[in-house]
Structures are given as C-alpha cells and as structure tokens.
Amino acid sequence: MKIVFFGTPDFAASILEFLLQSNISIAAIVTQPDRPKGRSLQVTSSAVKQVARSIPVLQPQKASEPQFLEQLKALHADLFVVVAFGQILPQSLLDIPPKGCINLHASLLPKYRGAAPIHRALIHGDRETGVCVQKMVKQLDAGDVIASARTEILPDMTFGELEAVLCELSKSLLLWVLQAYEKGVPPAE
C-alpha cells in the first residue's frame, strides 16, 4: 500500500520518521512551503521536509491548486495520511485516493476539533486527553473515528511534556491503523 504523508511541524516529523523506520511505503510528502523564520527571517524548511530524505516533497501554497491535485493523482497512492498539515483540504483532494484520507488528531474527538487541541486541553484543565485517527470529510475534524488512544494529563504537565506523550501514543496507533488499511478500509469505532 502506497501513502502520501501530509504534515508540517515537529510533531508530524517525529511520526513521519517512525513510519519510515517501520518501512511504510511513502510515495510523497506534502508540507507547507519554506517560510521566513526567527528574527533574521531566514527561509527555513518545515520539520517534515527535513525528515523527507529521498522521498519527493510537494509544497503547495494552497492544497486546492489544480496543478498540485494533478501531481497527487499521478502518484497513484492508495491512502493519504494527514498529521498537523496546516491547511484545510478540499473535497477534490479528499476524493483522490481509493482508500480515502485519514487524519491523526491530538484530542479525543469531537472534543477540541481544529487547531491547538493540546493547548486547549491544558487551558481547560482536562484530566485526560488522547489521539484519534479519523476518516477525513469536508467538515473539519468531523469524520468517523477509526481508532483512539487515551492518556492522563498529570498535574502541572507542560505543553511540551504532553505533546511528547501524545506523539508517542500516535505512532503505534497510526501504525496499527495503516496495517488495518492493508486489509481493506477499517470501520469506525
């Protein structure tokens, strides 16, 4: 099974690195364009691009660009995997892979849909959070959940500590889901 991996920050890069070490076949990587960063505004690649190695990297300004959509179709990937990519994907993109698109989200959906779910769990004083892998639909973080994993939020836990726990939880969960996809399209929980 061939996948296209969509992601941008360190969280996604760590998961991508794990998938590569797990011998998952990745046809291409999609990440945000290189951008100026820091006080010097030096143009910098995303964390995901830095992990890409020899895998082709696509960096569309907008995921709806016709040329980009044609590039994706030409890859003949079975499944698209999204981990903190940073753009809302149009239906025309979601319809490309025969097995669909899945998203790894760092909350127990439907709680904290959208951006900054880890921050929001901490701000609201939640005692538990987790990660979900869901089938993607046009509406943001609204697709059926395929699998989830929970973890406790310890008192005084920092964002960095919780993000690291969720990243580790995500790796094995996503690998399990990808292995299930090799046998077909897994049902929702």
Side-chain angles (χ1 to χ4, degrees), residues 105-129 140-141 153 159 162 166:
H105 187 75
S107 80
L108 296 172
L109 292 168
K111 197 170 190 179
Y112 306 133
R113 288 181 172 150
I118 302 171
H119 291 91
R120 290 165 49 206
L122 290 169
I123 289 167
H124 289 104
D126 291 0
R127 300 270 185 236
E128 180 183 60
T129 190
L140 185 64
D141 296 329
I153 300 177
F159 170 82
L162 182 55
L166 292 174

Side-chain angles (χ1 to χ4, degrees), residues 72-94:
L72 287 177
K73 287 176 188 174
L75 294 169
H76 302 287
D78 302 296
L79 179 71
F80 293 171
V81 176
V82 180
V83 181
F85 174 54
Q87 290 186 38
I88 295 176
L89 303 181
Q91 189 65 48
S92 54
L93 187 149
L94 298 177

Side-chain angles (χ1 to χ4, degrees), residues 5-28:
F5 184 91
F6 291 68
T8 301
D10 290 331
F11 185 89
S14 181
I15 292 167
L16 173 60
E17 183 71 42
F18 173 78
L19 294 178
L20 292 171
Q21 291 170 357
S22 300
N23 297 316
I24 297 297
S25 177
I26 299 177

Side-chain angles (χ1 to χ4, degrees), residues 48-113:
V48 163
K49 184 177 180 182
Q50 293 173 27
V51 172
R53 298 185 188 129
S54 61
I55 299 169
V57 176
L58 306 173
Q59 295 180 277
Q61 288 293 330
K62 291 187 177 181
S64 60
E65 294 172 355
Q67 179 183 0
F68 171 64
L69 296 174
E70 290 305 315
Q71 287 177 304
L72 287 177
K73 287 176 188 174
L75 294 169
H76 302 287
D78 302 296
L79 179 71
F80 293 171
V81 176
V82 180
V83 181
F85 174 54
Q87 290 186 38
I88 295 176
L89 303 181
Q91 189 65 48
S92 54
L93 187 149
L94 298 177
D95 292 339
I96 293 172
K99 291 191 176 194
C101 302
I102 59 173
N103 175 48
L104 185 134
H105 187 75
S107 80
L108 296 172
L109 292 168
K111 197 170 190 179
Y112 306 133
R113 288 181 172 150

